[in-house]
Amino acid sequence: MKLNKWPRWLICVMLVIALAVTAAGLPSGAPFVGSAYAAGDVIVDNGAAVLTGTWATSTYKTGYYGSDYVFKAGGTGTASVKWTPNLPAAGDYSVYYWLPDGGGDRTDSAAFTVYYSGGSKNYAVNEQPAGGAWVYLGTHPFAAGTAGYVQLTDQAGSSSYVIADAVKFVPSVIVDNSAAAVTGSWTSSTYQSGYYGANYLFKNSGTGTASVKWTPDLPSAGNYGVYYWLPAGAPDRATNVTFTVYYSGGSKAYTVNEQAAGGAWVLLGTHPFAAGTSGYVQLTDQANNTYVIADAVKFQPAGAPAEGQYVVRMDVPKQVIWGLGVEIQSDSIGSGNNGLPSKISGVPHDLVSSEKTRLYTQLLKGFRYVRLAMGLYLRGTTADGKNVVERYPGQMAELSEMIQQSGMEGASVEYWSPTPYWKSNNSYIGGSLKQFDSTFLNAFGDALVQDVNYLTSNGVPVKMWGLQNEPSVSTSYSTAVYNSQQYHDTFAAVAPKIKSAYPNMFIHANSEGGQNGVGSALIRADSTALSYVDGWTWHKIGTDSNDQITGSGTYNSNTAGKVVFNNEFEYLDGKTSEAKMMNTAQSIMNWMTFENSPTWFWLHALKPTYNSESEGYGLGLWRPDDDNDFSKYPNIQKGHFDYLPTNWHAVQGFLKYMPWNSQRYQVDESSVRGDNRIMAWKTPEGKMVVALTNRSGADYTFHISGMSGTFTGYRFGKVDENINLGGKNASDLNVTVPNNGIEFWVQN
């Protein structure tokens, strides 16, 4: 709201109140801040924030909010600024950070975390660009009062400064059906559950003459995401109800299927609106089925502009990307990861011949490494109990065939447990090694070399080797627990034997917490042991991809010059979703962009239809011969598999358009946005490829420069699979990616 629109008497009153507030010594960033209070926004300036550590106030750079801003040299994340609003009501609030004018000595990834009702989310802000504007972080639910807050830490490079100014909380505007303008005969009801507020409206479908019109009173002009509250669906509802959004400069119609399960907000689209009541949403009764339903509409500030500038730096090559990895379940495990069944079941073993070929030539095509879980999915034991071998006839031959026909380079071998001979409890499950003296470890190392010999002699080339998967963890399936000293001593004894027998073997540690995991500090302090570490492997399982941005200082420190990467990624709740699809795609991009990782591993290629964890773990599902429950996944026949699109489409484009040994290039970003990611690379054939993802809740436009030639786009999504988007010239490579879209723009 502008002052020149206010009555003069109101301006005078507000000036008097402002002077009184100042005289009372109240902080300048308290919720009562000029027009922000009148508009319904809540602003907390740095003067009202809680500071920990040593922050200095400044007015050196212009464009700050209020009287000043605070700054601090980059640190380890222990110092912080915390903005706590006193929100007048519970609801969805869009959170913005005021960015003062930037400078080259500021961090390009200031680590903000928004704490809201039910969770938190990390955001990275590039504080170097010209500012004097609000930067949209995201929209989240907040309780009334002071439970929610925003926190910024000093996590940044020591040569960078972190800047803190004001934070703004903007409430969404909701118009329920009771406040809508109704024409025609609509009836209120609570018959179906999941409605918003007290009830919803319904009407028999008609000719379009009856309507419901939702008109918000918007506090300020800007981009708003428009959402419709969809109550629980029913078969007698229309599948093609038309909502029309009237915004500044135009209108757009959206079709909604009201039979779908509801009780949630459905995004129609994001559009510019003027302040006040000129914009609205209208629904008519024209539809193809018995009933049309009308409930609430929400107008959610979406941040502006929904676009960014990106420069591909062809003069700044980064790491070579080796390719991706995936695990194969070649033996059985209990549902919920509970126990080791004696039944023989796994892939490719369970698949009929044609499905094996489809697995090799479609799903696995493009992966470089297959992760073999020694002592778990390969858990047969020699007669003396010292070595791992196949548990059923043909297991090794099938694995060899799979690698050869899929074109994979070889295996990443890692122990979930050594064979029971070496275990303190004589079992694959639980326990640790029996001893840690040099004589025992020397013999143990010889046995592990023999395991690699067995694999290679049976047609399974081994390219990577790890001592122990998650050495701190004991579970109801194959595990072996090490403390730090035990892990160091075992690694120091065994790794030299592996490297001596296989000089080109890539040896990694510790397959859980990387350079900060069990035993890693002792290995880093032991130059001899460290010389056998080729890389540090992490398990950031299902982690929000923004962790790779805000936590980059952790992953890039104490590496001793070794590469870091994530060699296991899945979702432990056993569920898949569109949001997880986007998070997975961005995990690949962010590990490679912010940690310079040369590879990244998804957990399982296929999981069985009857394991409870399967949807969160697999790129697809197969039906074993003993699964007769066709109420689940009725389309999958015994010995066949099908994809889980929201897992498969997250990685499929990278397999197709990022061939092995592609060269990544730096991309300069006007603002590092956690929901809008970009990565660029050149294939070994010399073609540039740009990957784009958008999970912001609205369309987002990437303005990309720095390259030449023409490009063709391909889109993946919940339903979309390699959709051809047509061509663009590099001179006009402005790409608008829809919400929950994953796109690859490939040089022709």
PDB file of all heavy atoms in Angstrom, residues 459-473:
ATOM      1  N   GLY A 459      32.832 -63.509 -13.968  1.00  0.00           N
ATOM      2  CA  GLY A 459      32.312 -62.564 -14.950  1.00  0.00           C
ATOM      3  C   GLY A 459      31.706 -61.305 -14.380  1.00  0.00           C
ATOM      4  O   GLY A 459      30.955 -60.611 -15.074  1.00  0.00           O
ATOM      5  N   VAL A 460      32.017 -60.995 -13.112  1.00  0.00           N
ATOM      6  CA  VAL A 460      31.533 -59.758 -12.490  1.00  0.00           C
ATOM      7  C   VAL A 460      32.732 -58.868 -12.189  1.00  0.00           C
ATOM      8  O   VAL A 460      33.389 -59.018 -11.144  1.00  0.00           O
ATOM      9  CB  VAL A 460      30.732 -60.046 -11.204  1.00  0.00           C
ATOM     10  CG1 VAL A 460      30.310 -58.737 -10.532  1.00  0.00           C
ATOM     11  CG2 VAL A 460      29.503 -60.882 -11.520  1.00  0.00           C
ATOM     12  N   PRO A 461      33.095 -57.957 -13.096  1.00  0.00           N
ATOM     13  CA  PRO A 461      34.229 -57.061 -12.833  1.00  0.00           C
ATOM     14  C   PRO A 461      33.921 -56.131 -11.661  1.00  0.00           C
ATOM     15  O   PRO A 461      32.808 -55.608 -11.548  1.00  0.00           O
ATOM     16  CB  PRO A 461      34.385 -56.290 -14.143  1.00  0.00           C
ATOM     17  CG  PRO A 461      33.058 -56.396 -14.815  1.00  0.00           C
ATOM     18  CD  PRO A 461      32.459 -57.698 -14.394  1.00  0.00           C
ATOM     19  N   VAL A 462      34.886 -55.935 -10.782  1.00  0.00           N
ATOM     20  CA  VAL A 462      34.702 -55.111  -9.591  1.00  0.00           C
ATOM     21  C   VAL A 462      35.471 -53.808  -9.775  1.00  0.00           C
ATOM     22  O   VAL A 462      36.694 -53.823  -9.974  1.00  0.00           O
ATOM     23  CB  VAL A 462      35.163 -55.847  -8.320  1.00  0.00           C
ATOM     24  CG1 VAL A 462      34.948 -54.969  -7.090  1.00  0.00           C
ATOM     25  CG2 VAL A 462      34.415 -57.172  -8.176  1.00  0.00           C
ATOM     26  N   LYS A 463      34.758 -52.682  -9.695  1.00  0.00           N
ATOM     27  CA  LYS A 463      35.358 -51.369  -9.926  1.00  0.00           C
ATOM     28  C   LYS A 463      35.484 -50.549  -8.649  1.00  0.00           C
ATOM     29  O   LYS A 463      36.339 -49.669  -8.563  1.00  0.00           O
ATOM     30  CB  LYS A 463      34.527 -50.599 -10.955  1.00  0.00           C
ATOM     31  CG  LYS A 463      34.431 -51.297 -12.309  1.00  0.00           C
ATOM     32  CD  LYS A 463      35.800 -51.489 -12.929  1.00  0.00           C
ATOM     33  CE  LYS A 463      35.731 -52.215 -14.248  1.00  0.00           C
ATOM     34  NZ  LYS A 463      37.076 -52.412 -14.847  1.00  0.00           N
ATOM     35  N   MET A 464      34.602 -50.792  -7.674  1.00  0.00           N
ATOM     36  CA  MET A 464      34.639 -50.079  -6.397  1.00  0.00           C
ATOM     37  C   MET A 464      34.573 -51.092  -5.265  1.00  0.00           C
ATOM     38  O   MET A 464      33.975 -52.164  -5.415  1.00  0.00           O
ATOM     39  CB  MET A 464      33.468 -49.101  -6.270  1.00  0.00           C
ATOM     40  CG  MET A 464      33.504 -47.905  -7.166  1.00  0.00           C
ATOM     41  SD  MET A 464      32.143 -46.755  -6.761  1.00  0.00           S
ATOM     42  CE  MET A 464      32.461 -45.456  -7.937  1.00  0.00           C
ATOM     43  N   TRP A 465      35.151 -50.729  -4.131  1.00  0.00           N
ATOM     44  CA  TRP A 465      35.164 -51.638  -2.983  1.00  0.00           C
ATOM     45  C   TRP A 465      35.001 -50.824  -1.697  1.00  0.00           C
ATOM     46  O   TRP A 465      35.626 -49.767  -1.536  1.00  0.00           O
ATOM     47  CB  TRP A 465      36.477 -52.416  -2.945  1.00  0.00           C
ATOM     48  CG  TRP A 465      36.574 -53.436  -1.843  1.00  0.00           C
ATOM     49  CD1 TRP A 465      36.185 -54.741  -1.889  1.00  0.00           C
ATOM     50  CD2 TRP A 465      37.100 -53.219  -0.527  1.00  0.00           C
ATOM     51  NE1 TRP A 465      36.428 -55.365  -0.689  1.00  0.00           N
ATOM     52  CE2 TRP A 465      36.992 -54.442   0.174  1.00  0.00           C
ATOM     53  CE3 TRP A 465      37.646 -52.118   0.128  1.00  0.00           C
ATOM     54  CZ2 TRP A 465      37.406 -54.592   1.494  1.00  0.00           C
ATOM     55  CZ3 TRP A 465      38.059 -52.258   1.444  1.00  0.00           C
ATOM     56  CH2 TRP A 465      37.940 -53.488   2.113  1.00  0.00           C
ATOM     57  N   GLY A 466      34.154 -51.336  -0.796  1.00  0.00           N
ATOM     58  CA  GLY A 466      33.965 -50.717   0.509  1.00  0.00           C
ATOM     59  C   GLY A 466      33.998 -51.767   1.600  1.00  0.00           C
ATOM     60  O   GLY A 466      33.457 -52.866   1.442  1.00  0.00           O
ATOM     61  N   LEU A 467      34.613 -51.425   2.728  1.00  0.00           N
ATOM     62  CA  LEU A 467      34.761 -52.375   3.823  1.00  0.00           C
ATOM     63  C   LEU A 467      33.436 -52.727   4.466  1.00  0.00           C
ATOM     64  O   LEU A 467      33.146 -53.904   4.735  1.00  0.00           O
ATOM     65  CB  LEU A 467      35.707 -51.790   4.886  1.00  0.00           C
ATOM     66  CG  LEU A 467      35.817 -52.555   6.208  1.00  0.00           C
ATOM     67  CD1 LEU A 467      36.375 -53.953   5.982  1.00  0.00           C
ATOM     68  CD2 LEU A 467      36.676 -51.778   7.209  1.00  0.00           C
ATOM     69  N   GLN A 468      32.584 -51.706   4.750  1.00  0.00           N
ATOM     70  CA  GLN A 468      31.381 -51.990   5.522  1.00  0.00           C
ATOM     71  C   GLN A 468      30.314 -50.943   5.261  1.00  0.00           C
ATOM     72  O   GLN A 468      30.566 -49.742   5.376  1.00  0.00           O
ATOM     73  CB  GLN A 468      31.696 -52.015   7.024  1.00  0.00           C
ATOM     74  CG  GLN A 468      30.500 -52.256   7.933  1.00  0.00           C
ATOM     75  CD  GLN A 468      29.835 -53.606   7.689  1.00  0.00           C
ATOM     76  OE1 GLN A 468      30.522 -54.613   7.545  1.00  0.00           O
ATOM     77  NE2 GLN A 468      28.520 -53.634   7.630  1.00  0.00           N
ATOM     78  N   ASN A 469      29.125 -51.393   4.917  1.00  0.00           N
ATOM     79  CA  ASN A 469      27.969 -50.515   4.826  1.00  0.00           C
ATOM     80  C   ASN A 469      27.533 -50.103   6.226  1.00  0.00           C
ATOM     81  O   ASN A 469      27.307 -50.949   7.090  1.00  0.00           O
ATOM     82  CB  ASN A 469      26.834 -51.261   4.121  1.00  0.00           C
ATOM     83  CG  ASN A 469      25.520 -50.509   4.180  1.00  0.00           C
ATOM     84  OD1 ASN A 469      25.321 -49.541   3.466  1.00  0.00           O
ATOM     85  ND2 ASN A 469      24.616 -50.957   5.036  1.00  0.00           N
ATOM     86  N   GLU A 470      27.447 -48.806   6.466  1.00  0.00           N
ATOM     87  CA  GLU A 470      26.932 -48.241   7.719  1.00  0.00           C
ATOM     88  C   GLU A 470      27.483 -48.955   8.952  1.00  0.00           C
ATOM     89  O   GLU A 470      26.768 -49.667   9.665  1.00  0.00           O
ATOM     90  CB  GLU A 470      25.400 -48.254   7.701  1.00  0.00           C
ATOM     91  CG  GLU A 470      24.839 -47.429   6.556  1.00  0.00           C
ATOM     92  CD  GLU A 470      23.328 -47.464   6.440  1.00  0.00           C
ATOM     93  OE1 GLU A 470      22.671 -48.133   7.264  1.00  0.00           O
ATOM     94  OE2 GLU A 470      22.792 -46.818   5.518  1.00  0.00           O
ATOM     95  N   PRO A 471      28.762 -48.768   9.241  1.00  0.00           N
ATOM     96  CA  PRO A 471      29.424 -49.535  10.306  1.00  0.00           C
ATOM     97  C   PRO A 471      28.925 -49.244  11.715  1.00  0.00           C
ATOM     98  O   PRO A 471      29.254 -50.009  12.630  1.00  0.00           O
ATOM     99  CB  PRO A 471      30.898 -49.132  10.162  1.00  0.00           C
ATOM    100  CG  PRO A 471      30.878 -47.834   9.421  1.00  0.00           C
ATOM    101  CD  PRO A 471      29.705 -47.905   8.509  1.00  0.00           C
ATOM    102  N   SER A 472      28.139 -48.197  11.907  1.00  0.00           N
ATOM    103  CA  SER A 472      27.627 -47.898  13.252  1.00  0.00           C
ATOM    104  C   SER A 472      26.279 -48.549  13.523  1.00  0.00           C
ATOM    105  O   SER A 472      25.758 -48.458  14.638  1.00  0.00           O
ATOM    106  CB  SER A 472      27.489 -46.385  13.441  1.00  0.00           C
ATOM    107  OG  SER A 472      26.389 -45.876  12.695  1.00  0.00           O
ATOM    108  N   VAL A 473      25.692 -49.230  12.509  1.00  0.00           N
ATOM    109  CA  VAL A 473      24.289 -49.644  12.577  1.00  0.00           C
ATOM    110  C   VAL A 473      24.164 -51.153  12.744  1.00  0.00           C
ATOM    111  O   VAL A 473      24.839 -51.928  12.065  1.00  0.00           O
ATOM    112  CB  VAL A 473      23.535 -49.209  11.303  1.00  0.00           C
ATOM    113  CG1 VAL A 473      22.101 -49.709  11.327  1.00  0.00           C
ATOM    114  CG2 VAL A 473      23.575 -47.692  11.169  1.00  0.00           C
TER     115      VAL A 473
END
